[in-house]
PDB file of all heavy atoms in Angstrom:
ATOM      1  N   ASN A 253     150.371  84.519  89.694  1.00 65.00           N
ATOM      2  CA  ASN A 253     150.806  83.923  88.418  1.00 65.00           C
ATOM      3  C   ASN A 253     151.754  82.768  88.694  1.00 65.00           C
ATOM      4  O   ASN A 253     152.076  82.512  89.847  1.00 65.00           O
ATOM      5  CB  ASN A 253     151.465  84.970  87.501  1.00 65.00           C
ATOM      6  CG  ASN A 253     152.701  85.619  88.096  1.00 65.00           C
ATOM      7  OD1 ASN A 253     153.495  84.861  88.683  1.00 65.00           O
ATOM      8  ND2 ASN A 253     152.931  86.826  87.847  1.00 65.00           N
ATOM      9  N   GLY A 254     152.259  82.159  87.699  1.00 68.00           N
ATOM     10  CA  GLY A 254     153.069  80.993  87.872  1.00 68.00           C
ATOM     11  C   GLY A 254     154.619  81.291  87.760  1.00 68.00           C
ATOM     12  O   GLY A 254     155.406  80.456  87.448  1.00 68.00           O
ATOM     13  N   PHE A 255     154.975  82.531  87.976  1.00 70.00           N
ATOM     14  CA  PHE A 255     156.453  82.954  87.868  1.00 70.00           C
ATOM     15  C   PHE A 255     157.303  82.108  88.757  1.00 70.00           C
ATOM     16  O   PHE A 255     156.902  82.010  90.028  1.00 70.00           O
ATOM     17  CB  PHE A 255     156.565  84.456  88.130  1.00 70.00           C
ATOM     18  CG  PHE A 255     157.994  84.909  87.930  1.00 70.00           C
ATOM     19  CD1 PHE A 255     158.569  85.099  86.610  1.00 70.00           C
ATOM     20  CD2 PHE A 255     158.876  85.069  88.988  1.00 70.00           C
ATOM     21  CE1 PHE A 255     159.847  85.518  86.435  1.00 70.00           C
ATOM     22  CE2 PHE A 255     160.188  85.464  88.863  1.00 70.00           C
ATOM     23  CZ  PHE A 255     160.680  85.707  87.600  1.00 70.00           C
ATOM     24  N   GLN A 256     158.385  81.644  88.338  1.00 69.00           N
ATOM     25  CA  GLN A 256     159.287  80.819  89.114  1.00 69.00           C
ATOM     26  C   GLN A 256     160.690  81.502  89.093  1.00 69.00           C
ATOM     27  O   GLN A 256     161.204  81.862  88.044  1.00 69.00           O
ATOM     28  CB  GLN A 256     159.477  79.426  88.492  1.00 69.00           C
ATOM     29  CG  GLN A 256     158.210  78.633  88.533  1.00 69.00           C
ATOM     30  CD  GLN A 256     157.848  78.074  89.932  1.00 69.00           C
ATOM     31  OE1 GLN A 256     158.863  77.739  90.677  1.00 69.00           O
ATOM     32  NE2 GLN A 256     156.664  77.996  90.290  1.00 69.00           N
ATOM     33  N   TYR A 257     161.220  81.705  90.274  1.00 76.00           N
ATOM     34  CA  TYR A 257     162.574  82.289  90.368  1.00 76.00           C
ATOM     35  C   TYR A 257     163.589  81.169  90.261  1.00 76.00           C
ATOM     36  O   TYR A 257     163.378  80.024  90.585  1.00 76.00           O
ATOM     37  CB  TYR A 257     162.733  82.931  91.756  1.00 76.00           C
ATOM     38  CG  TYR A 257     161.955  84.146  91.967  1.00 76.00           C
ATOM     39  CD1 TYR A 257     160.685  84.121  92.550  1.00 76.00           C
ATOM     40  CD2 TYR A 257     162.485  85.383  91.519  1.00 76.00           C
ATOM     41  CE1 TYR A 257     159.949  85.285  92.715  1.00 76.00           C
ATOM     42  CE2 TYR A 257     161.742  86.573  91.693  1.00 76.00           C
ATOM     43  CZ  TYR A 257     160.450  86.564  92.256  1.00 76.00           C
ATOM     44  OH  TYR A 257     159.777  87.601  92.429  1.00 76.00           O
ATOM     45  N   GLY A 258     164.802  81.537  89.742  1.00 77.00           N
ATOM     46  CA  GLY A 258     165.877  80.597  89.725  1.00 77.00           C
ATOM     47  C   GLY A 258     165.952  79.656  88.578  1.00 77.00           C
ATOM     48  O   GLY A 258     166.747  78.783  88.593  1.00 77.00           O
ATOM     49  N   ILE A 259     165.233  79.832  87.554  1.00 77.00           N
ATOM     50  CA  ILE A 259     165.346  79.062  86.302  1.00 77.00           C
ATOM     51  C   ILE A 259     166.635  79.438  85.644  1.00 77.00           C
ATOM     52  O   ILE A 259     166.873  80.610  85.394  1.00 77.00           O
ATOM     53  CB  ILE A 259     164.130  79.121  85.387  1.00 77.00           C
ATOM     54  CG1 ILE A 259     162.909  78.612  86.039  1.00 77.00           C
ATOM     55  CG2 ILE A 259     164.403  78.460  84.011  1.00 77.00           C
ATOM     56  CD1 ILE A 259     161.636  78.751  85.250  1.00 77.00           C
ATOM     57  N   THR A 260     167.527  78.481  85.395  1.00 78.00           N
ATOM     58  CA  THR A 260     168.839  78.813  84.877  1.00 78.00           C
ATOM     59  C   THR A 260     169.168  78.080  83.569  1.00 78.00           C
ATOM     60  O   THR A 260     170.220  77.804  83.273  1.00 78.00           O
ATOM     61  CB  THR A 260     169.936  78.352  85.914  1.00 78.00           C
ATOM     62  OG1 THR A 260     169.811  77.003  86.170  1.00 78.00           O
ATOM     63  CG2 THR A 260     169.790  79.161  87.177  1.00 78.00           C
ATOM     64  N   MET A 261     168.108  77.855  82.809  1.00 82.00           N
ATOM     65  CA  MET A 261     168.354  77.173  81.537  1.00 82.00           C
ATOM     66  C   MET A 261     169.086  78.119  80.562  1.00 82.00           C
ATOM     67  O   MET A 261     168.654  79.265  80.432  1.00 82.00           O
ATOM     68  CB  MET A 261     166.949  76.745  80.919  1.00 82.00           C
ATOM     69  CG  MET A 261     167.079  76.031  79.585  1.00 82.00           C
ATOM     70  SD  MET A 261     165.585  75.292  79.050  1.00 82.00           S
ATOM     71  CE  MET A 261     165.453  73.901  80.169  1.00 82.00           C
ATOM     72  N   THR A 262     170.182  77.650  79.966  1.00 83.00           N
ATOM     73  CA  THR A 262     170.920  78.482  79.125  1.00 83.00           C
ATOM     74  C   THR A 262     170.692  78.156  77.625  1.00 83.00           C
ATOM     75  O   THR A 262     170.754  79.083  76.759  1.00 83.00           O
ATOM     76  CB  THR A 262     172.495  78.274  79.368  1.00 83.00           C
ATOM     77  OG1 THR A 262     172.761  76.945  79.210  1.00 83.00           O
ATOM     78  CG2 THR A 262     172.784  78.808  80.784  1.00 83.00           C
ATOM     79  N   ASP A 263     170.408  76.952  77.255  1.00 87.00           N
ATOM     80  CA  ASP A 263     170.123  76.632  75.791  1.00 87.00           C
ATOM     81  C   ASP A 263     168.594  76.630  75.599  1.00 87.00           C
ATOM     82  O   ASP A 263     167.895  75.703  76.065  1.00 87.00           O
ATOM     83  CB  ASP A 263     170.689  75.368  75.501  1.00 87.00           C
ATOM     84  CG  ASP A 263     170.526  74.954  74.043  1.00 87.00           C
ATOM     85  OD1 ASP A 263     170.026  75.778  73.303  1.00 87.00           O
ATOM     86  OD2 ASP A 263     170.753  73.724  73.710  1.00 87.00           O
ATOM     87  N   VAL A 264     168.114  77.619  74.996  1.00 89.00           N
ATOM     88  CA  VAL A 264     166.712  77.754  74.761  1.00 89.00           C
ATOM     89  C   VAL A 264     166.350  77.674  73.183  1.00 89.00           C
ATOM     90  O   VAL A 264     165.378  78.279  72.745  1.00 89.00           O
ATOM     91  CB  VAL A 264     166.107  79.104  75.259  1.00 89.00           C
ATOM     92  CG1 VAL A 264     166.145  79.022  76.875  1.00 89.00           C
ATOM     93  CG2 VAL A 264     166.874  80.253  74.804  1.00 89.00           C
ATOM     94  N   THR A 265     167.143  76.810  72.542  1.00 92.00           N
ATOM     95  CA  THR A 265     166.875  76.540  71.141  1.00 92.00           C
ATOM     96  C   THR A 265     166.124  75.228  71.066  1.00 92.00           C
ATOM     97  O   THR A 265     166.634  74.184  71.431  1.00 92.00           O
ATOM     98  CB  THR A 265     168.182  76.446  70.360  1.00 92.00           C
ATOM     99  OG1 THR A 265     168.957  77.666  70.573  1.00 92.00           O
ATOM    100  CG2 THR A 265     167.937  76.180  68.822  1.00 92.00           C
ATOM    101  N   PRO A 266     164.902  75.241  70.516  1.00 94.00           N
ATOM    102  CA  PRO A 266     164.088  73.995  70.372  1.00 94.00           C
ATOM    103  C   PRO A 266     164.676  73.088  69.364  1.00 94.00           C
ATOM    104  O   PRO A 266     165.256  73.528  68.323  1.00 94.00           O
ATOM    105  CB  PRO A 266     162.772  74.476  69.961  1.00 94.00           C
ATOM    106  CG  PRO A 266     162.902  75.851  69.361  1.00 94.00           C
ATOM    107  CD  PRO A 266     164.164  76.414  69.965  1.00 94.00           C
ATOM    108  N   VAL A 267     164.601  71.847  69.602  1.00 95.00           N
ATOM    109  CA  VAL A 267     164.986  70.734  68.723  1.00 95.00           C
ATOM    110  C   VAL A 267     163.810  70.184  67.931  1.00 95.00           C
ATOM    111  O   VAL A 267     163.854  69.972  66.768  1.00 95.00           O
ATOM    112  CB  VAL A 267     165.765  69.608  69.489  1.00 95.00           C
ATOM    113  CG1 VAL A 267     166.091  68.470  68.492  1.00 95.00           C
ATOM    114  CG2 VAL A 267     167.026  70.149  70.145  1.00 95.00           C
ATOM    115  N   LYS A 268     162.740  69.988  68.687  1.00 95.00           N
ATOM    116  CA  LYS A 268     161.494  69.390  68.120  1.00 95.00           C
ATOM    117  C   LYS A 268     160.623  70.481  67.607  1.00 95.00           C
ATOM    118  O   LYS A 268     160.454  71.475  68.295  1.00 95.00           O
ATOM    119  CB  LYS A 268     160.723  68.587  69.163  1.00 95.00           C
ATOM    120  CG  LYS A 268     161.497  67.389  69.720  1.00 95.00           C
ATOM    121  CD  LYS A 268     161.806  66.365  68.630  1.00 95.00           C
ATOM    122  CE  LYS A 268     162.614  65.212  69.148  1.00 95.00           C
ATOM    123  NZ  LYS A 268     162.809  64.216  68.151  1.00 95.00           N
ATOM    124  N   SER A 269     160.057  70.311  66.411  1.00 95.00           N
ATOM    125  CA  SER A 269     159.162  71.298  65.832  1.00 95.00           C
ATOM    126  C   SER A 269     157.752  71.393  66.467  1.00 95.00           C
ATOM    127  O   SER A 269     157.360  70.367  67.144  1.00 95.00           O
ATOM    128  CB  SER A 269     159.015  70.922  64.331  1.00 95.00           C
ATOM    129  OG  SER A 269     158.240  69.844  64.229  1.00 95.00           O
ATOM    130  N   LEU A 270     157.108  72.441  66.211  1.00 94.00           N
ATOM    131  CA  LEU A 270     155.696  72.534  66.707  1.00 94.00           C
ATOM    132  C   LEU A 270     154.834  71.399  66.070  1.00 94.00           C
ATOM    133  O   LEU A 270     154.031  70.852  66.722  1.00 94.00           O
ATOM    134  CB  LEU A 270     155.112  73.875  66.407  1.00 94.00           C
ATOM    135  CG  LEU A 270     153.667  74.118  66.714  1.00 94.00           C
ATOM    136  CD1 LEU A 270     153.338  73.903  68.100  1.00 94.00           C
ATOM    137  CD2 LEU A 270     153.225  75.512  66.198  1.00 94.00           C
ATOM    138  N   ALA A 271     155.102  71.177  64.770  1.00 94.00           N
ATOM    139  CA  ALA A 271     154.283  70.144  64.094  1.00 94.00           C
ATOM    140  C   ALA A 271     154.470  68.777  64.725  1.00 94.00           C
ATOM    141  O   ALA A 271     153.479  68.102  64.873  1.00 94.00           O
ATOM    142  CB  ALA A 271     154.671  70.086  62.613  1.00 94.00           C
ATOM    143  N   SER A 272     155.619  68.446  65.116  1.00 95.00           N
ATOM    144  CA  SER A 272     155.851  67.145  65.686  1.00 95.00           C
ATOM    145  C   SER A 272     155.262  67.077  67.161  1.00 95.00           C
ATOM    146  O   SER A 272     154.707  66.099  67.517  1.00 95.00           O
ATOM    147  CB  SER A 272     157.369  66.680  65.762  1.00 95.00           C
ATOM    148  OG  SER A 272     158.082  67.398  66.748  1.00 95.00           O
ATOM    149  N   ALA A 273     155.324  68.179  67.887  1.00 95.00           N
ATOM    150  CA  ALA A 273     154.668  68.275  69.243  1.00 95.00           C
ATOM    151  C   ALA A 273     153.119  68.076  69.115  1.00 95.00           C
ATOM    152  O   ALA A 273     152.525  67.445  69.877  1.00 95.00           O
ATOM    153  CB  ALA A 273     155.109  69.552  69.879  1.00 95.00           C
ATOM    154  N   ARG A 274     152.654  68.851  68.129  1.00 93.00           N
ATOM    155  CA  ARG A 274     151.175  68.791  67.871  1.00 93.00           C
ATOM    156  C   ARG A 274     150.785  67.380  67.592  1.00 93.00           C
ATOM    157  O   ARG A 274     149.704  66.830  68.076  1.00 93.00           O
ATOM    158  CB  ARG A 274     150.760  69.751  66.835  1.00 93.00           C
ATOM    159  CG  ARG A 274     149.271  69.699  66.571  1.00 93.00           C
ATOM    160  CD  ARG A 274     148.815  70.520  65.327  1.00 93.00           C
ATOM    161  NE  ARG A 274     149.080  71.894  65.449  1.00 93.00           N
ATOM    162  CZ  ARG A 274     149.934  72.554  64.589  1.00 93.00           C
ATOM    163  NH1 ARG A 274     150.542  71.923  63.693  1.00 93.00           N
ATOM    164  NH2 ARG A 274     150.146  73.871  64.844  1.00 93.00           N
ATOM    165  N   GLN A 275     151.500  66.746  66.662  1.00 93.00           N
ATOM    166  CA  GLN A 275     151.153  65.339  66.279  1.00 93.00           C
ATOM    167  C   GLN A 275     151.260  64.405  67.467  1.00 93.00           C
ATOM    168  O   GLN A 275     150.342  63.464  67.556  1.00 93.00           O
ATOM    169  CB  GLN A 275     152.001  64.914  65.086  1.00 93.00           C
ATOM    170  CG  GLN A 275     151.630  63.597  64.526  1.00 93.00           C
ATOM    171  CD  GLN A 275     150.181  63.540  64.066  1.00 93.00           C
ATOM    172  OE1 GLN A 275     149.759  64.440  63.351  1.00 93.00           O
ATOM    173  NE2 GLN A 275     149.417  62.619  64.475  1.00 93.00           N
ATOM    174  N   GLN A 276     152.180  64.615  68.303  1.00 93.00           N
ATOM    175  CA  GLN A 276     152.364  63.742  69.451  1.00 93.00           C
ATOM    176  C   GLN A 276     151.102  63.827  70.400  1.00 93.00           C
ATOM    177  O   GLN A 276     150.533  62.901  70.844  1.00 93.00           O
ATOM    178  CB  GLN A 276     153.551  63.979  70.262  1.00 93.00           C
ATOM    179  CG  GLN A 276     153.675  63.086  71.447  1.00 93.00           C
ATOM    180  CD  GLN A 276     155.093  63.242  72.116  1.00 93.00           C
ATOM    181  OE1 GLN A 276     155.930  63.947  71.718  1.00 93.00           O
ATOM    182  NE2 GLN A 276     155.261  62.380  73.165  1.00 93.00           N
ATOM    183  N   VAL A 277     150.646  65.050  70.579  1.00 92.00           N
ATOM    184  CA  VAL A 277     149.443  65.304  71.476  1.00 92.00           C
ATOM    185  C   VAL A 277     148.250  64.698  70.822  1.00 92.00           C
ATOM    186  O   VAL A 277     147.412  63.966  71.478  1.00 92.00           O
ATOM    187  CB  VAL A 277     149.326  66.826  71.749  1.00 92.00           C
ATOM    188  CG1 VAL A 277     147.945  67.094  72.495  1.00 92.00           C
ATOM    189  CG2 VAL A 277     150.479  67.405  72.520  1.00 92.00           C
ATOM    190  N   LEU A 278     148.075  64.898  69.570  1.00 90.00           N
ATOM    191  CA  LEU A 278     146.841  64.441  68.828  1.00 90.00           C
ATOM    192  C   LEU A 278     146.828  62.898  68.809  1.00 90.00           C
ATOM    193  O   LEU A 278     145.827  62.266  69.053  1.00 90.00           O
ATOM    194  CB  LEU A 278     146.732  65.040  67.437  1.00 90.00           C
ATOM    195  CG  LEU A 278     146.522  66.539  67.372  1.00 90.00           C
ATOM    196  CD1 LEU A 278     146.454  66.983  65.877  1.00 90.00           C
ATOM    197  CD2 LEU A 278     145.289  66.912  68.099  1.00 90.00           C
ATOM    198  N   SER A 279     148.013  62.347  68.581  1.00 92.00           N
ATOM    199  CA  SER A 279     148.110  60.875  68.599  1.00 92.00           C
ATOM    200  C   SER A 279     147.765  60.273  69.960  1.00 92.00           C
ATOM    201  O   SER A 279     147.074  59.307  70.093  1.00 92.00           O
ATOM    202  CB  SER A 279     149.516  60.410  68.225  1.00 92.00           C
ATOM    203  OG  SER A 279     149.736  60.728  66.789  1.00 92.00           O
ATOM    204  N   HIS A 280     148.249  60.966  71.020  1.00 91.00           N
ATOM    205  CA  HIS A 280     147.948  60.512  72.356  1.00 91.00           C
ATOM    206  C   HIS A 280     146.515  60.524  72.689  1.00 91.00           C
ATOM    207  O   HIS A 280     145.938  59.609  73.327  1.00 91.00           O
ATOM    208  CB  HIS A 280     148.743  61.411  73.443  1.00 91.00           C
ATOM    209  CG  HIS A 280     148.570  60.943  74.804  1.00 91.00           C
ATOM    210  ND1 HIS A 280     149.331  59.905  75.317  1.00 91.00           N
ATOM    211  CD2 HIS A 280     147.699  61.364  75.795  1.00 91.00           C
ATOM    212  CE1 HIS A 280     148.969  59.695  76.574  1.00 91.00           C
ATOM    213  NE2 HIS A 280     147.976  60.555  76.839  1.00 91.00           N
ATOM    214  N   LEU A 281     145.770  61.580  72.177  1.00 87.00           N
ATOM    215  CA  LEU A 281     144.337  61.706  72.370  1.00 87.00           C
ATOM    216  C   LEU A 281     143.486  61.005  71.331  1.00 87.00           C
ATOM    217  O   LEU A 281     142.337  60.930  71.424  1.00 87.00           O
ATOM    218  CB  LEU A 281     143.940  63.192  72.404  1.00 87.00           C
ATOM    219  CG  LEU A 281     144.432  63.993  73.599  1.00 87.00           C
ATOM    220  CD1 LEU A 281     144.134  65.418  73.434  1.00 87.00           C
ATOM    221  CD2 LEU A 281     143.798  63.445  74.915  1.00 87.00           C
ATOM    222  N   ARG A 282     144.151  60.384  70.380  1.00 88.00           N
ATOM    223  CA  ARG A 282     143.575  59.757  69.212  1.00 88.00           C
ATOM    224  C   ARG A 282     142.584  60.695  68.475  1.00 88.00           C
ATOM    225  O   ARG A 282     141.418  60.373  68.220  1.00 88.00           O
ATOM    226  CB  ARG A 282     142.827  58.438  69.650  1.00 88.00           C
ATOM    227  CG  ARG A 282     143.824  57.453  70.210  1.00 88.00           C
ATOM    228  CD  ARG A 282     143.137  56.170  70.593  1.00 88.00           C
ATOM    229  NE  ARG A 282     144.241  55.304  71.136  1.00 88.00           N
ATOM    230  CZ  ARG A 282     143.953  54.322  71.967  1.00 88.00           C
ATOM    231  NH1 ARG A 282     142.653  53.975  72.231  1.00 88.00           N
ATOM    232  NH2 ARG A 282     144.935  53.546  72.306  1.00 88.00           N
ATOM    233  N   LEU A 283     143.095  61.895  68.144  1.00 85.00           N
ATOM    234  CA  LEU A 283     142.384  62.861  67.356  1.00 85.00           C
ATOM    235  C   LEU A 283     143.059  63.176  66.078  1.00 85.00           C
ATOM    236  O   LEU A 283     144.295  62.849  65.945  1.00 85.00           O
ATOM    237  CB  LEU A 283     142.283  64.176  68.219  1.00 85.00           C
ATOM    238  CG  LEU A 283     141.570  64.151  69.489  1.00 85.00           C
ATOM    239  CD1 LEU A 283     141.674  65.481  70.266  1.00 85.00           C
ATOM    240  CD2 LEU A 283     140.066  63.826  69.269  1.00 85.00           C
ATOM    241  N   THR A 284     142.406  63.831  65.196  1.00 84.00           N
ATOM    242  CA  THR A 284     143.091  64.338  63.945  1.00 84.00           C
ATOM    243  C   THR A 284     142.966  65.786  63.953  1.00 84.00           C
ATOM    244  O   THR A 284     142.267  66.417  64.743  1.00 84.00           O
ATOM    245  CB  THR A 284     142.270  63.765  62.705  1.00 84.00           C
ATOM    246  OG1 THR A 284     140.969  64.426  62.725  1.00 84.00           O
ATOM    247  CG2 THR A 284     142.106  62.264  62.691  1.00 84.00           C
ATOM    248  N   THR A 285     143.764  66.430  63.109  1.00 82.00           N
ATOM    249  CA  THR A 285     143.824  67.886  63.035  1.00 82.00           C
ATOM    250  C   THR A 285     142.450  68.449  62.731  1.00 82.00           C
ATOM    251  O   THR A 285     142.189  69.576  63.034  1.00 82.00           O
ATOM    252  CB  THR A 285     144.857  68.372  62.013  1.00 82.00           C
ATOM    253  OG1 THR A 285     144.608  67.839  60.731  1.00 82.00           O
ATOM    254  CG2 THR A 285     146.237  68.036  62.419  1.00 82.00           C
TER     255      THR A 285
END
């Protein structure tokens, strides 16, 4: 699997929404929902 040891990220609160992430990917691929 892709398990990685030593990840030390302490702030795991997302700032960007799923909707904005999805829109960025779709825009990059020039697709619509």
Side-chain angles (χ1 to χ4, degrees):
N253 63 38
F255 183 79
Q256 295 284 325
Y257 290 94
I259 294 178
T260 59
M261 183 171 282
T262 56
D263 182 8
V264 292
T265 305
V267 174
K268 299 296 180 175
S269 69
L270 173 61
S272 74
R274 180 188 298 117
Q275 186 56 51
Q276 181 170 0
V277 172
L278 295 179
S279 294
H280 184 82
L281 292 173
R282 296 183 180 159
L283 297 173
T284 66
T285 55

